[in-house]
Amino acid sequence: MIDEIIEFNKTFVAEKGYEKYITDKYPDKKLAVLSCMDTRLTELLPAALGLKNGDAKIIKNAGGLVISAFDSAMRSLIVAIYELGVEEIMVVAHSHCGACHMSFEHFRHEMTARGVTDDTLDTIEKCGIDLHHWLEGFKDTPTSVKKTVETIKTHPLVPKDIVVRGFIIDSETGELEEV
């Protein structure tokens, strides 16, 4: 698949397909959106929010979560605020999310089936990484959104004038519900 993508890319560049996407690094709407990496949202999310290329910084991860105050999602938001001029943040989870009810025990089984040893997992745990927490999903989407919004709002490095609001988008229709 990657080889096919590389071939497509050569044609895309040669035919100047990139020209309609040219913008700068600063989001025109001074907006960052933290959302899930779910493939259903790739085009639906920006379309449902009326966002075009260059309007917002879109940060995606499994579940659209901030799982700790200093994880990569939070780091990206801090950079977006201080380096890129973001003034508002939308946390957008979605219906029927795969991260809902995710658990380390499921991943442990999948990992060992693919050759990761229990010794490796134990070594990671001994290094201070709590795999149960790191690979834990959430049980309730609205509660998860509220927790992520609160983590961002109360972060010691987030200025108090930054607007942070949480939503759930229907992964079929694109309808937004504020949480």
Side-chain angles (χ1 to χ4, degrees):
M1 179 53 64
I2 294 174
D3 287 337
E4 290 176 25
I5 290 171
I6 291 169
E7 285 306 310
F8 174 87
N9 178 258
K10 289 176 184 174
T11 303
F12 177 84
V13 172
E15 295 175 358
K16 298 186 179 189
Y18 58 84
E19 288 180 341
K20 69 181 182 179
Y21 301 105
I22 293 174
T23 186
D24 63 25
K25 67 180 184 177
Y26 300 98
D28 293 337
K29 295 186 183 283
K30 299 184 184 302
L31 174 70
V33 179
L34 173 61
S35 190
C36 186
M37 65 184 191
D38 191 293
T39 55
R40 293 171 288 185
L41 302 182
T42 301
E43 292 188 35
L44 178 64
L45 179 72
L49 301 182
L51 299 175
K52 65 181 186 345
N53 195 53
D55 281 347
K57 293 298 178 185
I58 300 180
I59 302 156
K60 293 182 161 218
N61 66 23
L65 305 171
V66 171
I67 59 172
S68 75
F70 295 96
D71 70 5
S72 65
M74 199 64 234
R75 178 178 180 265
S76 295
L77 291 169
I78 294 297
V79 169
I81 292 166
Y82 288 106
E83 182 66 21
L84 305 170
V86 162
E87 297 174 357
E88 297 186 54
I89 298 169
M90 291 178 74
V91 175
V92 184
H94 68 98
S95 60
H96 314 294
C97 184
C100 194
H101 308 294
M102 206 168 65
S103 73
F104 172 63
E105 290 311 315
H106 167 77
F107 285 110
R108 175 186 282 275
H109 173 74
E110 295 295 320
M111 289 172 183
T112 55
R114 298 203 47 193
V116 176
T117 66
D118 285 330
D119 285 344
T120 298
L121 296 173
D122 292 342
T123 300
I124 292 169
E125 292 270 347
K126 287 176 185 170
C127 290
I129 305 299
D130 180 354
L131 291 173
H132 291 273
H133 174 72
W134 190 62
L135 288 171
E136 185 70 23
F138 51 87
K139 307 296 182 239
D140 177 73
T141 304
T143 301
S144 171
V145 171
K146 288 177 188 173
K147 182 178 176 185
T148 293
V149 166
E150 190 61 21
T151 300
I152 297 167
K153 280 184 172 182
T154 61
H155 195 283
L157 301 178
V158 173
K160 299 302 174 214
D161 62 339
I162 297 296
V163 174
V164 185
R165 294 170 62 185
F167 302 86
I168 299 171
I169 190 170
D170 185 295
S171 55
E172 290 181 17
T173 67
E175 180 179 11
L176 275 182
E177 172 190 344
E178 189 158 10
V179 179

